[in-house]
Amino acid sequence: MKQLGMFILSVGLGAAISAGTAVAGDDVVVDSDVTKVESELAKKVKAQKITVEQAKEMGLNRAETYEVTSTVSVDNLELQLAEKLKDSIMPYYSIEYNDPTSDDEAYRAMVTEYFGKVE
């Protein structure tokens, strides 16, 4: 499967570079992976995904921050994220993925959960 991924990555390399998309090795979460993961999470999780900037603008309080890691695949990372977030009672969350220039051997996501302003 990794060979197929490398073939697809190699074939799409020229298009990705011309489109300005980050191209990285198999061990990182790139733009197309992020779109797929977030689309699947939206189907499985009740909480609303927001950006860190939106959380600040909305005056939200940070409830918890944790890292989710998969050494298997981006799909496995999405499954782990869904498991963590589907049981959460927090109404909002944000996700920051590992840097595409990382030489790490794992797919990583830093999740922060938020709750509303305390009046």
Side-chain angles (χ1 to χ4, degrees):
M1 185 58 134
K2 219 172 192 173
Q3 289 177 339
L4 176 62
M6 288 303 293
F7 174 74
I8 292 170
L9 181 63
S10 297
V11 170
L13 184 61
I17 291 173
S18 65
T21 302
V23 176
D26 282 348
D27 61 339
V28 296
V29 181
V30 294
D31 291 342
S32 61
D33 295 329
V34 169
T35 302
K36 181 180 177 213
V37 167
E38 291 181 356
S39 171
E40 289 300 313
L41 284 177
K43 296 175 191 173
K44 299 175 184 176
V45 176
K46 291 182 265 180
Q48 179 182 351
K49 186 197 177 289
I50 60 173
T51 64
V52 174
E53 293 78 22
Q54 287 172 313
K56 289 177 186 175
E57 290 170 9
M58 295 166 67
L60 300 177
N61 293 298
R62 186 177 57 153
E64 182 179 8
T65 297
Y66 50 89
E67 183 176 76
V68 178
T69 304
S70 171
T71 57
V72 179
S73 67
V74 171
D75 291 333
N76 182 263
L77 178 67
E78 182 268 318
L79 289 172
Q80 290 187 50
L81 287 166
E83 280 298 311
K84 285 280 216 178
L85 289 167
K86 76 178 184 181
D87 295 330
S88 176
I89 61 170
M90 296 301 140
Y92 303 100
Y93 68 95
S94 65
I95 301 176
E96 294 182 37
Y97 298 94
N98 61 320
D99 184 352
T101 61
S102 172
D103 290 332
D104 195 355
E105 292 293 323
Y107 300 91
R108 298 183 186 278
M110 187 64 67
V111 179
T112 302
E113 295 185 44
Y114 302 93
F115 60 93
K117 287 193 269 188
V118 177
E119 301 293 330

